[in-house]
Amino acid sequence: MTNEHIRSACEAILFASGEPVEASRIAEALEVETETVEGALWELSRALDERESGICLLRLGSKYQLVSRKEYAQEIRNVLDIKKNIPLSPAAFEVLAIVAYNQPVTKAYVEQIRGVDCSGVISTLCQRGLLEERGRLDLPGRPLLYGTTPNFLRCFCLSSLSDLPELPENTANLNDENDDEIDNEQGEQIRNFFQTEE
């Protein structure tokens, strides 16, 4: 099987799937090494960029997905008559930030940091596919654990959680009572990052 054939097969698989697919799963289907598939996907991504295609290849951790480029979002909405999503509230961005940097976490952990009930916000974020349940904590009551989803990475244009901006030093969370004192470039970068429209 030639490299060109592998690249084309990867493109066909991702197009047909419409969902993120593990590179290892593609490798298994093509009966080649995972590294070979990852190399073919890198070539595919570069080829799409070079010809300024309307679609691009996203890497979401160990998964890959073909998606439309965000600069054509309005045209796609116009043709498909899709209404723009209602933007997330500031509270939702705060909860997302807390979970993203500390996952997996319980609802009680998030509420301890924010100081208010977060049931509704967490439920909304789960419904919108940005958070998901990650099992239960081995403590009395067996509270649910929450973490971010591949959709979270896609919405914020991240390949993995390691791409998140670094937390400011000596800052345990983004909603601390002393937040006004945290006036540095790093802290501002994080706040701006999570306030980017979904």
Side-chain angles (χ1 to χ4, degrees):
M1 189 179 292
T2 65
N3 287 339
E4 186 175 347
H5 182 81
I6 293 172
R7 185 177 72 184
S8 297
C10 289
E11 184 176 12
I13 290 168
L14 293 176
F15 177 80
S17 171
E19 297 291 332
V21 181
E22 293 271 358
S24 58
R25 191 171 171 197
I26 297 173
E28 185 179 344
L30 300 179
E31 298 180 347
V32 296
E33 296 294 324
T34 301
E35 292 77 13
T36 303
V37 166
E38 289 174 341
L41 289 170
W42 182 83
E43 290 175 7
L44 173 60
S45 178
R46 189 179 63 174
L48 292 171
D49 291 342
E50 284 179 355
R51 65 183 174 91
E52 298 181 349
S53 171
I55 60 174
C56 62
L57 183 67
L58 280 185
R59 182 172 67 86
L60 306 167
S62 60
K63 296 182 178 181
Y64 293 83
Q65 182 179 17
L66 283 175
V67 299
S68 57
R69 293 190 189 275
K70 60 183 178 181
E71 48 263 45
Y72 302 113
Q74 189 57 54
E75 289 85 349
I76 293 169
R77 287 191 183 99
N78 291 342
V79 171
L80 301 180
D81 196 25
I82 300 172
K83 292 183 179 179
K84 196 169 184 179
N85 287 337
I86 299 171
L88 294 176
S89 67
F93 282 116
E94 288 179 10
V95 170
L96 265 181
I98 292 167
V99 175
Y101 281 98
N102 300 284
Q103 61 187 306
V105 297
T106 62
K107 180 172 73 74
Y109 178 85
V110 177
E111 291 174 342
Q112 181 181 7
I113 290 177
R114 294 197 66 237
V116 295
D117 178 70
C118 297
S119 302
V121 178
I122 290 176
S123 176
T124 298
L125 291 171
C126 287
Q127 289 172 8
R128 295 187 65 168
L130 297 173
L131 294 183
E132 65 183 357
E133 295 178 5
R134 292 275 187 85
R136 293 183 177 272
L137 194 61
D138 192 17
L139 287 175
R142 306 270 296 160
L144 284 167
L145 290 167
Y146 294 92
T148 56
T149 65
N151 190 44
F152 165 82
L153 296 176
R154 182 178 60 79
C155 288
F156 288 96
C157 299
L158 299 170
S159 294
S160 67
L161 292 172
S162 61
D163 293 338
L164 285 169
E166 290 185 15
L167 283 171
E169 291 181 15
N170 303 320
T171 307
N173 62 74
L174 300 179
N175 196 37
D176 194 275
E177 292 177 0
N178 299 321
D179 194 50
D180 291 339
E181 298 175 12
I182 304 167
D183 188 22
N184 59 45
E185 188 175 332
Q186 245 182 346
E188 191 64 27
Q189 180 186 13
I190 291 168
R191 283 187 284 274
N192 289 341
F193 178 82
F194 279 100
Q195 287 168 4
T196 302
E197 187 176 329
E198 181 193 351

